[in-house]
Amino acid sequence: MAALIAENFRFLSLFFKSKDVMIFNGLVALGTVGSEELFSVVAFNCPCSPARNYIYGLAAIGVPALALFLIGVMWNNHTWNLVAECHKRGTKNFSAAATFLLFGSILGRASVAPITWSVISLLRGEAYICALSEFVKPSSLDKFPAEYGAEVLAKFPCRDVPANLTKSRDEVTRRLRYESQLFGWLLIGIVAVLVFLTKCLKHCCSPLSYRQESYWAQYRSNEDKLFRRTAEVHSRILAAKNVKQFFGFVALDKEEKELVQEFPVEGVQPSPQWNAITGVYIYRENKGFPLYSRLHKWAKGVEGNGPTPEGHELLFLAS
């Protein structure tokens, strides 16, 4: 039981595994801030009509946030590694904690942009004021004429009101902006606390030392860069050979000719090899030596994804 508990706690190290992730999240947040500002200037236009204000205000906050969330899920490599893993191997190699935290990693990273959008929208307050102005109780306003109701309150965001309601409009706007900004600051505080607790749990529960974890992050980054660069060159050379076989010649520039001469490509990798290096990777050690990726495991000839008598699986997901 103790081993099972320790195994599940190690999965808490999944989030924010490297500085690259934090930098990427920061860039996503900055891009979202700029997009929200542009949206507010160009696209936001409150209808100032009862029943429409509420829907439009919520849509202005929620719909872009949903779109950013879905884009974040699609851009996350974990998403497609999980799809490949389920398609090729199923989820038999993952415990409930592993599956939960893998989804947590995907959803957590995808939430950076929508949370930023929501926070900026709340701090600006325009969408919140548009959505809730008609629901302000007239009785809570000082010297508000009894003959006016929700229809007039709904026009407050557009400042299209009678002169005798200017003071009431300013009061409603100030009150709703205060509420909106309060919710925005609370959201920032909640997210900051969650990030802090996650970082603490990550460092406390990680089975790797700080230096080894840093090395692992550097290895994954370098392996990905070299793999992409080599795959681009390999595919170009293979394409050149096939085009030459079809036409009898191939039009190559000087750089491409040098690549063809320097790197002879005899064939392509079979599908089982591609399947072996694709999917969700769980950190493992074989005879005490770490295996840092699926490609590393394949190169060492280690079979399977579960623990074996020769290998020890630490169940530490790669980010």
Side-chain angles (χ1 to χ4, degrees):
M1 177 63 68
L4 179 61
I5 294 175
E7 167 190 314
N8 290 336
F9 267 108
R10 288 190 183 103
F11 285 109
L12 294 173
S13 304
L14 177 64
F15 303 94
F16 304 104
K17 288 185 58 59
S18 69
K19 294 180 180 178
D20 292 340
V21 173
M22 300 300 292
I23 293 173
F24 175 78
N25 289 340
L27 293 176
V28 170
L30 289 175
T32 305
V33 171
S35 300
E36 204 282 336
E37 291 291 332
L38 180 63
F39 173 82
S40 297
V41 172
V42 177
F44 186 82
N45 188 16
C46 185
C48 294
S49 174
R52 295 181 181 178
N53 283 13
Y54 184 71
I55 297 175
Y56 185 84
L58 293 184
I61 299 176
V63 173
L66 176 62
L68 289 170
F69 176 78
L70 294 178
I71 292 173
V73 171
M74 290 187 292
W75 276 1
N76 195 324
N77 290 334
H78 275 320
T79 302
W80 308 116
N81 282 334
L82 180 61
V83 171
E85 188 75 22
C86 294
H87 178 67
K88 296 297 181 182
R89 306 176 186 91
T91 59
K92 59 182 180 181
N93 293 320
F94 299 100
S95 64
T99 304
F100 173 78
L101 288 176
L102 181 58
F103 276 106
S105 174
I106 295 173
L107 300 180
R109 292 191 186 182
S111 298
V112 174
I115 288 177
T116 304
W117 179 278
S118 300
V119 166
I120 298 301
S121 296
L122 289 173
L123 292 180
R124 289 181 61 89
E126 294 179 356
Y128 188 89
I129 294 173
C130 177
L132 297 181
S133 62
E134 64 182 286
F135 298 104
V136 175
K137 293 182 179 180
S139 59
S140 66
L141 301 176
D142 185 30
K143 298 180 180 179
F144 188 83
E147 63 270 19
Y148 296 120
E151 292 185 1
V152 175
L153 289 170
K155 296 180 180 181
F156 278 11
C158 297
R159 302 179 180 272
D160 184 17
V161 295
N164 62 328
L165 295 181
T166 302
K167 184 176 180 181
S168 297
R169 183 201 66 199
D170 294 340
E171 181 181 352
V172 169
T173 301
R174 183 169 55 253
R175 183 188 304 179
L176 293 179
R177 180 170 283 111
Y178 155 76
E179 294 178 2
S180 179
Q181 292 181 348
L182 178 62
F183 290 140
W185 290 121
L186 288 176
L187 182 57
I188 291 176
I190 292 172
V191 172
V193 170
L194 290 177
V195 171
F196 172 75
L197 293 177
T198 300
K199 292 287 289 183
C200 291
L201 288 174
K202 177 254 181 181
H203 286 292
C204 292
C205 302
S206 175
L208 305 179
S209 67
Y210 173 76
R211 291 187 180 275
Q212 186 178 7
E213 188 176 334
S214 177
Y215 177 86
W216 187 21
Q218 292 174 355
Y219 172 85
R220 292 199 312 271
S221 177
N222 289 326
E223 181 189 80
D224 183 66
K225 291 177 183 177
L226 291 173
F227 188 90
R228 290 176 181 273
R229 190 187 309 164
T230 304
E232 196 276 333
V233 173
H234 186 280
S235 61
R236 186 185 303 184
I237 296 174
L238 180 63
K241 291 181 62 176
N242 292 336
V243 171
K244 182 177 181 180
Q245 185 174 354
F246 184 82
F247 287 106
F249 73 96
V250 59
L252 301 175
D253 57 27
K254 182 179 179 180
E255 179 184 355
E256 290 170 335
K257 290 179 181 178
E258 293 176 353
L259 289 176
V260 171
Q261 293 176 357
E262 185 176 358
F263 303 110
V265 174
E266 301 299 333
V268 297
Q269 288 67 33
S271 293
Q273 289 187 7
W274 286 102
N275 294 336
I277 66 171
T278 303
V280 177
Y281 179 67
I282 297 180
Y283 176 85
R284 58 179 286 147
E285 294 181 356
N286 184 260
K287 298 181 180 180
F289 291 94
L291 300 173
Y292 290 118
S293 69
R294 281 196 168 276
L295 181 61
H296 189 189
K297 187 173 71 171
W298 172 84
K300 292 296 183 180
V302 179
E303 299 293 337
N305 197 36
T308 63
E310 296 80 15
H312 177 61
E313 183 113 16
L314 292 183
L315 298 176
F316 192 52
L317 288 170
S319 66

